[in-house]
Amino acid sequence: MTSPIRTERHGDVLIIISDNPPVNALGAAVRQGLEAAIKQGVADASVEAMVIRCDGRTFFAGADITEFGKPMAEPFLPTLVDMVEASDKPVIAAIHGTALGGGCEVALACHYRVATPSAKLGTPEVKLGLLPGAGGTQRLPRVAGVRLALEMCAKGEPIAAQKAADAGLVDRIVGEGSLEADAIAFAREVKAARPIPRASEREVAPDPEAVAAFTRENGRRFRGFDAPAANIACVVKATAVPYHEGVQFERAEFMKLMMGTQSAAQRHIFFAERQASKIDDVSADTQLRAINRVGVIGAGTMGGGIAMNFLSAGIPVTIVEMAQEALDRGQGTIRKTYEATAAKGRMKPDQVEAAMGALTPTLDFAALAECDLVIEAVYENMDVKKEIFTRLDGICKPGAILASNTSYLNIDEIAAVTQRPQDVVGMHFFSPANVMKLLEVVRGAQTAPDVIATMMDLAKKIRKVAVVAGVTYGFIGNRMLMPRQVEANKLLLEGATPEQIDRVHVAFGMPMGPFQMADLAGVDIGWHRDPTRIENVRDALAAEGRWGQKKQAGFYDYDEKRTPSASARVAEIIAEWREKTGTPQHEVTDQEIVERTLYPMVNEGALILEEGKAQRASDVDVVWIYGYGWPVYRGGPMFWAKTEGYGKVVAGLEKHGFAVAQSLKAGTIK
Ligand code: T1G
């Protein structure tokens, strides 16, 4: 097998080139090729300097994650990077694309780094529940300082080449199209410079204030994760001991994380997210439909957020409303949201104007005739949606895709009112639609394969993580949410409190529990609006106007800062309903709450898979990670059930009288 590494000579400079698509991952063959090339360069007296660069779209994007958890072939990356640094001839890293993880560590072991202006450097291992395990936590602070090293290692966000240059991490920004030539020229400039600068030989002073401030500022962000603290500890170690001692500490911390369930969960999600975009029965080269203009029906919270996704991606939007006042309000909210983003420096004013300029507000439904995709985002009522799709069928051009943003309703039933059911699909965005990354693409019985392929491609363009769901009430996410809500309400009547149930979910790692979520979404959502008809605790709250945060009262009381506190009135109402329903009371334990609110979600996920309403278990996990804030370090409900042990989950479900899915019982969930 040919090595992914080749070398070329440019006079006295040896170019070492990696060609390992798609992202030059540092797999065994790459490491072996690099080792041989460096040895060749060091041994060849006519070589004065070496340049390492990569073909394809990027410099090394890290260790090969698919090798993790398997016996690793030599040379190991830590050994290889130390060998690069030990070279007695200057080695220059020529960086384009994203030098990430082990790729950034190879660059740090090089004596100099040059980069194209669009290049990025990063140590995202923490997003895989890990840390830079090839000397990165020891070399990075020595080259770029403690503060930047903390940012890069513990948060994992890549930095732009210019910022890296400002921090001394990159020695020269070179031409976007002349990387190799400029790197060779740079190599010639430094080939005779001595001593050769080695990052591991540099000192870095302790900065306890920076560490304390960083840890304090990111406490909420790092809650529940093991890896950030380990990254911080390694960076601090770099300021306290020589390199060779620091890397031993780094190694030990790395192995602890690698053996842990959190990293396994986060690596699972890394691949699950990429797998989700693959549709088993739709080939990757399916001809896509062109989407050059999008229509959105409804300029409310969802419609406005949905429109922003396309405007931000440079796709013009026609937004339709029934009344001028609603249209103006919707347009105003979009502008305000963009301006708020610009005020935080995350958008330039001209980008705000460009996005607003691409928005065409109208009261004229017929204006949708020119759209390639129309997304209906009106309130959840089947008759209203059928009326709209009947009109769209008469207006829209052939080949236009007709989508509904329904959160629950039957896409086939909606499609059936049109003459073009093959062009009808569900696009279930999550609120706030311009922020939440998940998009459930609901595939109807007759939805055409090229419509699905177009949806998956479009999702990438609008920076969404798309998952295909079949037609079932509530699709994947909301269908699994329902048994959780049902059990949470039952547990209230049996003796638990909203605070206890929510505390268990927050301790599990969810951003909030079922009752805090109800207060955020609105206790009146789905309420029949008749204050005289009170059939459960929720009706009682709604009848009293306790509609949640927006009313500063729901299952909790809220102060002006929306801080929740337990409500005596709610405790009274719950006590009344326990009485009224004659529900036997018992002491509800935290474990019981887990067994009765989280295990049924897993069970429902298994049923969804058995019915073919989701392609694979990892898709279900992606839905919950990106749509409902399930903690990524638990890998999603289906992955978690596996780590929990299917047997334990089945026993817990049976103990509480649930009918358990066959595949869960058999442990055959795929
Ligand atoms: N290993 C193996 N496969 C990888 C990979 C990697 N590091 N990175 C990407 N792929 C695959 C991916 O699964 C997909 O495959 C294809 O490449 C394209 O990726 C010791 C321990 C580089 C920014 O965490 O962030 O180094 O689905 O769809 O959107 O310290 O990939 O086509 O079959 O994401 O253009 C640290 C991970 C590793 C970077 C490109 N590195 N990668 O994004 O393409 S740990 C990372 C990314 C480490 C050392 C440690 C992104 C990207 P498929 P893609 P993209």
Side-chain angles (χ1 to χ4, degrees):
M1 197 179 77
T2 50
S3 167
I5 301 290
R6 70 182 190 281
T7 59
E8 289 171 8
R9 286 297 298 266
H10 289 256
D12 53 8
V13 177
L14 180 71
I15 312 294
I16 300 171
I17 303 158
S18 173
D19 184 10
N20 184 34
V23 296
N24 282 298
L26 288 151
V30 172
R31 297 194 306 274
Q32 286 148 8
L34 279 174
E35 180 185 43
I38 294 286
K39 282 186 176 161
Q40 174 198 335
V42 168
D44 184 335
S46 66
V47 170
E48 298 279 343
M50 293 175 258
V51 169
I52 299 178
R53 75 162 183 80
C54 295
D55 279 344
R57 61 179 165 177
T58 180
F59 192 75
F60 308 111
D64 186 335
I65 308 170
T66 62
E67 289 184 346
F68 291 175
K70 300 174 192 145
M72 195 70 86
E74 297 209 37
F76 303 136
L77 197 55
T79 319
L80 176 67
V81 296
D82 285 351
M83 199 190 83
V84 171
E85 191 185 58
S87 159
D88 58 3
K89 299 169 184 182
V91 183
I92 294 92
I95 301 167
H96 77 293
T98 51
L100 300 177
C104 186
E105 292 172 296
V106 168
L108 278 164
C110 291
H111 308 114
Y112 302 94
R113 288 153 290 279
V114 301
T116 58
S118 64
K120 291 200 165 141
L121 291 83
T123 49
E125 288 88 340
V126 72
K127 295 186 178 179
L128 299 170
L130 296 168
L131 52 82
T137 68
Q138 302 306 300
R139 288 193 173 91
L140 191 55
R142 284 175 162 83
V143 173
V146 168
R147 290 168 193 257
L148 185 54
L150 288 172
E151 279 287 330
M152 291 178 71
C153 290
K155 287 187 180 174
E157 299 304 330
I159 64 170
Q162 189 52 57
K163 181 169 178 182
D166 298 344
L169 192 48
V170 161
D171 298 283
R172 182 171 297 165
I173 304 286
V174 297
E176 197 63 55
S178 57
L179 176 63
E180 182 178 277
D182 294 349
I184 293 168
F186 184 91
R188 298 238 159 85
E189 284 174 38
V190 299
K191 67 180 182 184
R194 292 297 181 278
I196 289 180
R198 294 186 174 86
S200 64
E201 294 166 359
R202 291 164 73 162
E203 303 268 320
V204 56
D207 190 347
E209 292 77 37
V211 174
F214 181 81
T215 310
R216 203 176 39 252
E217 284 152 21
N218 294 287
R220 198 181 153 79
R221 177 190 181 127
F222 296 155
R223 185 171 68 83
F225 289 90
D226 295 339
N231 275 271
I232 294 169
C234 288
V235 171
V236 169
K237 187 62 83 177
T239 67
V241 300
Y243 174 78
H244 65 274
E245 272 183 52
V247 282
Q248 281 161 19
F249 179 80
E250 176 192 275
R251 194 83 225 146
E253 291 297 310
F254 179 85
M255 290 318 291
K256 256 192 271 171
L257 293 172
M258 179 65 93
M259 307 324 254
T261 53
Q262 291 205 353
S263 179
Q266 289 173 264
R267 282 180 269 140
H268 162 73
I269 292 298
F270 176 85
F271 288 113
E273 184 183 331
R274 284 153 183 82
Q275 192 64 14
S277 63
K278 303 188 171 88
I279 315 302
D280 297 344
D281 62 342
V282 176
S283 78
D285 53 19
T286 301
Q287 175 80 29
L288 305 178
R289 298 192 190 181
I291 307 292
N292 299 319
R293 175 170 282 279
V294 172
V296 176
I297 304 172
T301 313
M302 286 309 289
I306 292 169
M308 289 179 71
N309 291 306
F310 297 98
L311 297 170
S312 304
I315 301 172
V317 173
T318 300
I319 195 162
V320 181
E321 255 298 353
M322 310 272 275
Q324 191 60 45
E325 193 248 333
L327 195 58
D328 297 344
R329 193 174 48 243
Q331 208 184 352
T333 306
I334 293 174
R335 174 172 283 284
K336 234 190 292 152
T337 311
Y338 274 135
E339 285 171 352
T341 309
K344 293 187 200 121
R346 289 208 301 263
M347 241 181 133
K348 299 199 179 73
D350 62 337
Q351 291 172 311
V352 174
E353 293 319 316
M356 292 311 293
L359 179 66
T360 306
T362 178
L363 299 178
D364 177 13
F365 205 86
L368 295 168
E370 60 181 6
C371 296
D372 306 300
L373 163 67
V374 178
I375 306 171
E376 159 276 311
V378 302
Y379 68 96
E380 201 74 323
N381 176 289
M382 184 55 100
D383 295 338
V384 172
K385 293 183 190 287
K386 284 182 175 175
E387 191 262 328
I388 286 175
F389 274 74
T390 308
R391 288 181 71 190
L392 286 175
D393 197 23
I395 288 170
C396 291
K397 60 185 176 184
I401 297 175
L402 311 182
S404 171
N405 178 52
T406 177
S407 307
Y408 287 86
L409 301 178
N410 187 318
I411 292 292
D412 292 329
E413 201 180 325
I414 293 173
V417 301
T418 73
Q419 306 308 310
R420 52 175 106 187
Q422 74 283 359
D423 301 333
V424 176
V425 69
M427 291 181 82
H428 178 207
F429 290 83
F430 288 72
S431 182
N434 56 311
V435 177
M436 294 299 285
K437 281 189 64 95
L438 181 67
L439 174 65
E440 277 184 325
V441 172
V442 185
R443 182 178 190 170
Q446 299 185 58
T447 304
D450 67 333
V451 169
I452 295 294
T454 303
M455 289 295 105
M456 304 313 278
D457 178 72
L458 190 59
K460 282 200 177 131
K461 288 196 180 110
I462 60 173
R463 299 168 178 276
K464 297 296 182 195
V465 175
V467 172
V468 172
V471 173
T472 179
Y473 190 69
F475 318 129
I476 299 173
N478 285 343
R479 179 172 157 182
M480 291 168 71
L481 191 64
M482 288 185 278
R484 183 185 89 163
Q485 299 311 97
V486 168
E487 284 304 306
N489 291 330
K490 279 192 199 162
L491 284 161
L492 273 192
L493 295 184
E494 295 172 28
T497 63
E499 300 77 45
Q500 181 194 11
I501 296 170
D502 285 350
R503 176 180 49 70
V504 169
H505 281 252
V506 171
F508 182 82
M510 301 296 282
M512 59 182 68
F515 298 106
Q516 288 157 328
M517 193 166 157
D519 280 357
L520 180 70
V523 175
D524 58 321
I525 295 267
W527 180 47
H528 48 63
R529 312 261 146 208
D530 175 359
T532 62
R533 198 175 107 214
I534 299 182
E535 291 160 355
N536 51 46
V537 170
R538 208 179 164 110
D539 280 355
L541 296 184
E544 289 193 11
R546 298 185 68 91
W547 294 359
Q549 284 194 14
K550 58 189 171 192
K551 293 281 187 180
Q552 287 194 289
F555 281 94
Y556 294 84
D557 293 332
Y558 293 88
D559 63 17
E560 57 293 339
K561 289 207 196 85
R562 297 205 172 202
T563 314
S565 58
S567 160
R569 176 65 194 129
V570 173
E572 269 170 25
I573 291 173
I574 293 171
E576 281 161 23
W577 274 90
R578 288 174 179 164
E579 181 91 16
K580 263 196 209 129
T581 54
T583 308
Q585 303 298 294
H586 70 279
E587 200 232 325
V588 177
T589 64
D590 291 1
Q591 181 54 26
E592 179 179 356
I593 292 170
V594 168
E595 290 170 358
R596 287 180 56 184
T597 58
L598 297 179
Y599 287 5
M601 290 172 52
V602 171
N603 196 38
E604 200 64 32
L607 293 171
I608 288 169
L609 289 160
E610 285 175 13
E611 295 163 22
K613 303 300 181 188
Q615 289 194 98
R616 48 187 88 88
S618 61
D619 283 10
V620 174
D621 291 334
V622 169
V623 163
W624 272 81
I625 299 278
Y626 286 107
Y628 300 82
W630 182 282
V632 66
Y633 55 79
R634 292 190 191 274
M638 309 318 284
F639 182 89
W640 171 67
K642 218 173 5 188
T643 52
E644 191 76 351
Y646 289 144
K648 183 177 172 192
V649 175
V650 170
L653 287 165
E654 287 174 342
K655 182 167 75 179
H656 298 294
F658 289 96
V660 181
Q662 202 38 51
S663 56
L664 184 53
K665 264 197 200 142
T668 54
I669 294 172
K670 286 207 188 58

